[in-house]
Amino acid sequence: MTIAIQGIGVVGGFGCGTADLARAMALGAAPAAALRADPGPLERFVPRRSLRRLDRFARMAALAAHLALEDAGALGDDHDRLGLVVASGWGATGTTLALVDSIIEGGDVCTSPSHFAGSLHNAPASHLAILLGARGPSLSISQFGLSAPSALMAARLWLEQGRAQRVLVGAVDELSGLTGHLWDRQGELERPWGPGPRGEGAAFFLLSSRAEAREPYCLLEQAITGRGPGPEGLAPAGTSPLYGAMPAAPAFDLAAAAIRLRQGQGPERVSCLTRDQDQFGLVQIRSFRR
Amino acid sequence: MNRPVPITGLGCISAAGPGLEAGLASMFRGCRDPRPPQRFCTGHPVPYPVFELPEFLGPPSLLRTGALLLHAAREALADAGLDRDFLDTLRAGACIGTTVGSAMNDEGFCRALRAGGPPSLEPMERILRSNPAALLARQWGLDGPCQTVVNACSSGTDAVGLGASWIEAGLCDLVLAGGADELSRITCNGFISMRIAGPGPCRPFDRERDGLNLGEGAAVLVLEAPELRRRRRARARAFVLGYGSACDAYHPTAPSPDGAGLGRAISEAMAAGGIAPGQVAFVNAHGTATPDNDRVESGVLAAMLPGVPFLSTKGYTGHTLGAAGAIEAAFTVACLERGRVPACAGFQEADPGLPAPVAENSAVRGAVALSQSLAFGGNNAVLALGLGERP
């Protein structure tokens, strides 16, 4: 089955939506030391009262997901057979800190149940399913820097195996007190963080079969992960100065590459390689016009 | 599955026992011993019991979750007759479910950070080093896909189903699939705060059930491509016949009252394996002993698989969260092999209007069983497992 990227939704330090990302790409690196995302525009899609259970982390994911659906012209569609794959390297670290704070401040009996529920890695996928009425399979993945390629691999497989009609797949990471502290001390960590300013945000993609896609960005030819440096002759992708360094960055790399393909810039086929310690992730896309 | 995926090795550690056979024997003897946590204290007025492995020790460089996983993986690989040298010749992947194993919630680190720090980074390094799927890949030099599934309590079931789908798609020759989770003070507090932890030993499907007991453990299943299994003449202990998953899209932490998502997942798993209801020997249910879960789950089973025996093994192991689905899949295979299931420990009296689980050790007929998980987030996941070859 040929898989197409039908819609893209992004929110990050550069702004909100593919037009903002394309503008940042045209301008070059953003100058800020830390690239914060603003999930406020989510209220354009979801009434504020429906957002009370969503923390900032889940709101970034929900915003990017809604933007991807809007981009594909699929916001009002029936999502009964929509699959969801949400990846994150860190998870909801802001809410995790708040959960531990509730224990430290009030003792064990004051543990916050809402913070506990929000601290779970699959909370964003859960909220998304409820907001969209998505009743297909749902998967949350945490594989640090390879979270996004791993999520795309799963999404491709679901479509190929007929487990979902369409899949909304994306990655999200948050700049919290915890991750900010780790960033400040990254020189002491075993795992390098990557170039660029510290960042946060979410990048989502609506995938479907080529036959179903209306005006796709491009075709998703391959998404794999494995051990080793990856295929010879490829260098890691990375335009992180635009959105900042974070484990979810490979999803933004893919979004940027897909936007360039649609704009007719560069080669017809693009490989986005990610390396994380002794493992690699590879996502290959190509222009659908060929 | 278009083709059944062979399971050639099983490993399992839980409070029921340090290995699969020991755990199963203990269950058939009716042993269970939930106690207040011994490795940590909580400040609740009730000492909520848990199923802990107090004697189990792992290296300080790893999360306990990682150490439990390695223990289960060693048993599974030995059971399958595999060693690292042979694994080096294969495209082998790792697909592992967890909850605690990916949570950046080290309490000491967070306390020190809050106090102004700078805290030691070792706890964070330990978490990053212990990512379950990456840990297995590193330990055994696996060079295929590597995925840590964080679908809350259905993670283990999903990981096994996804691993089987990798084999089906030809992505791998072999997958180590399973789940692992340790008991954590933060998680215990979280479940108690949500008022779904019980003050006494859990009673799955009982009319007086009043909450779950947390547990810890890990299980790993060796899934092999049929061609590889034939080539090395390995015995298939069982087969993954089907996998289904569906989301309730109803509530972040409560199951949909109509059980529609679970029903859909069961239908998908059975359809994938071409299984008729009459072929199902038994169902290893999620059965947490919370009022909501057991009501929804037994209602769905009564409607979709009337008369099919079902049980929960959580009365022997506690709820091991991300490990639960894998541990229960391993027990399901072992029960299929014996043609017997243990009593649903803790159950005494049926909830009016709902079917009763297996109340005593019983013989079962048939070569197919289901193992299912429900999770926070509305996730429902079901594995259809088929009996393999006799030794």
Side-chain angles (χ1 to χ4, degrees):
Chain A
M1 177 189 284
T2 308
I3 310 288
I5 296 180
Q6 211 179 327
I8 298 176
V10 283
V11 57
F14 53 85
C16 175
T18 52
D20 282 359
L21 179 56
R23 199 170 300 120
M25 287 159 59
L27 290 172
L35 296 172
R36 289 269 180 189
D38 173 16
L42 180 57
E43 290 181 24
R44 187 158 70 77
F45 302 102
V46 184
R48 183 179 293 184
R49 62 185 158 74
S50 300
L51 296 176
R52 63 190 164 85
R53 285 199 179 107
L54 278 71
D55 63 9
R56 198 162 169 281
F57 179 69
R59 287 181 191 211
M60 288 192 289
L63 174 56
H66 279 84
L67 288 166
L69 287 170
E70 182 182 54
D71 191 40
L75 253 185
D77 291 0
D78 177 6
H79 300 306
D80 190 59
R81 290 203 63 220
L82 178 69
L84 298 175
V85 188
V86 180
S88 176
W90 295 121
T93 53
T95 296
T96 298
L97 266 186
L99 168 68
V100 181
D101 275 354
S102 72
I103 296 171
I104 295 170
E105 285 170 10
D108 294 342
V109 293
C110 291
T111 305
S112 162
S114 59
H115 288 334
F116 176 63
S119 73
L120 300 175
H121 269 277
N122 71 331
S126 163
H127 292 302
L128 252 184
I130 294 167
L131 292 172
L132 297 172
R135 295 181 179 82
S138 174
L139 174 63
S140 296
I141 291 170
S142 180
Q143 208 60 55
F144 203 69
L146 298 182
S147 299
S150 190
L152 287 155
M153 184 184 85
R156 261 188 69 90
L157 214 51
W158 282 0
L159 289 168
E160 286 175 351
Q161 295 181 337
R163 300 200 56 227
Q165 185 182 12
R166 289 190 282 193
V167 181
L168 198 48
V169 52
V172 54
D173 268 305
E174 176 187 27
L175 190 50
S176 67
L178 193 152
T179 54
H181 181 85
L182 295 180
W183 170 270
D184 289 339
R185 297 176 64 193
Q186 64 169 308
E188 303 169 52
L189 288 168
E190 289 171 7
R191 183 188 295 263
W193 197 298
R198 65 183 92 176
E200 66 170 1
F204 272 69
F205 307 87
L206 182 66
L207 305 186
S208 68
S209 70
R210 170 68 185 93
E212 191 185 318
R214 291 156 195 165
E215 278 188 60
Y217 277 82
C218 54
L219 304 180
L220 178 64
E221 285 196 315
Q222 189 177 195
I224 55 165
T225 65
R227 192 164 59 103
E232 281 183 23
L234 285 180
T239 40
S240 63
L242 302 180
Y243 36 79
M246 57 182 140
F252 289 87
D253 295 337
L254 177 63
I259 289 170
R260 280 196 203 98
L261 267 186
R262 180 180 257 188
Q263 291 171 338
Q265 297 177 11
E268 291 277 307
R269 177 176 277 116
V270 179
S271 298
C272 296
L273 177 69
T274 305
R275 290 192 184 126
D276 183 16
Q277 294 194 314
D278 63 345
Q279 304 225 321
F280 75 93
L282 179 67
V283 180
Q284 287 183 318
I285 54 176
R286 75 169 166 87
S287 167
F288 77 96
R289 292 191 179 85
R290 281 186 69 185
Chain B
M1 303 286 159
N2 290 328
R3 288 191 303 168
V5 175
I7 301 170
T8 56
L10 296 166
C12 177
I13 177 170
S14 71
L20 181 60
E21 293 305 318
L24 203 70
S26 161
M27 291 196 295
F28 278 111
R29 286 197 306 272
C31 303
R32 65 183 199 137
D33 189 21
R35 297 179 185 191
Q38 295 178 45
R39 288 189 304 104
F40 55 80
C41 299
T42 59
H44 298 279
V46 176
Y48 293 91
V50 296
F51 286 83
E52 195 174 18
L53 290 154
E55 310 298 324
F56 181 85
L57 293 173
S61 59
L62 290 178
L63 284 182
R64 186 175 172 82
T65 299
L68 289 164
L69 176 65
L70 293 179
H71 179 99
R74 282 187 205 104
E75 184 189 0
L77 288 168
D79 186 38
L82 292 163
D83 60 23
R84 180 167 176 151
D85 287 345
F86 187 71
L87 289 173
D88 274 344
T89 67
L90 306 175
R91 286 177 308 155
C95 192
I96 303 295
T98 193
T99 60
V100 179
S102 266
M104 307 289 287
N105 65 3
D106 184 88
E107 194 174 345
F109 180 89
C110 294
R111 279 182 186 273
L113 186 62
R114 183 184 156 91
S120 162
L121 291 175
E122 178 52 23
M124 294 293 114
E125 296 279 29
R126 190 182 303 125
I127 293 169
L128 295 174
R129 219 181 275 137
S130 301
N131 178 285
L135 176 63
L136 279 193
R138 203 164 59 240
Q139 182 76 15
W140 276 283
L142 312 180
D143 60 5
C146 175
Q147 195 166 84
T148 295
V149 175
V150 282
N151 268 10
C153 305
S154 68
S155 301
T157 301
D158 283 308
V160 174
L162 291 164
S165 74
W166 295 357
I167 298 278
E168 187 181 26
L171 293 179
C172 294
D173 303 314
L174 180 145
V175 179
L176 299 184
D181 255 326
E182 69 190 77
L183 273 170
S184 135
R185 216 181 85 82
I186 302 277
T187 309
C188 281
N189 279 331
F191 276 89
I192 292 166
S193 76
M194 300 193 78
R195 300 182 181 185
I196 51 176
C202 64
R203 291 174 283 181
F205 299 109
D206 190 87
R207 69 179 294 170
E208 300 296 331
R209 64 190 181 275
D210 56 0
L212 56 80
N213 302 148
L214 288 172
E216 61 182 353
V220 171
L221 287 70
V222 178
L223 310 177
E224 284 194 45
E227 297 75 15
L228 172 64
R229 182 180 79 88
R230 271 195 297 275
R231 199 170 76 225
R232 69 182 197 95
R233 297 178 183 167
R235 178 172 79 93
R237 291 188 67 166
F239 294 93
V240 179
L241 303 176
Y243 161 55
S245 68
C247 193
D248 284 341
Y250 171 74
H251 189 275
T253 57
S256 171
D258 65 4
L262 176 60
R264 195 159 160 166
I266 291 173
S267 297
E268 188 185 350
M270 291 178 62
I275 298 160
Q279 291 177 268
V280 180
F282 69 94
V283 178
N284 193 345
H286 192 54
T288 54
T290 61
D292 283 354
N293 178 88
D294 292 9
R295 181 175 54 250
V296 169
E297 197 175 12
S298 55
V300 169
L301 290 175
M304 297 185 70
L305 296 166
V308 174
F310 68 95
L311 74 153
S312 165
T313 52
K314 288 188 174 67
Y316 302 102
T317 63
H319 189 354
T320 56
L321 305 178
I327 288 174
E328 288 154 22
F331 283 143
T332 301
V333 169
C335 288
L336 269 177
E337 289 178 330
R338 280 158 186 72
R340 288 172 61 77
V341 292
C344 182
F347 169 79
Q348 287 187 321
E349 189 178 349
D351 205 337
L354 292 174
V358 176
E360 53 191 42
N361 295 348
S362 308
V364 288
R365 282 186 198 169
V368 177
L370 304 184
S371 184
Q372 62 191 32
S373 300
L374 287 74
F376 280 179
N379 289 59
N380 303 275
V382 178
L383 291 169
L385 300 166
L387 184 60
E389 303 155 329
R390 296 283 176 199

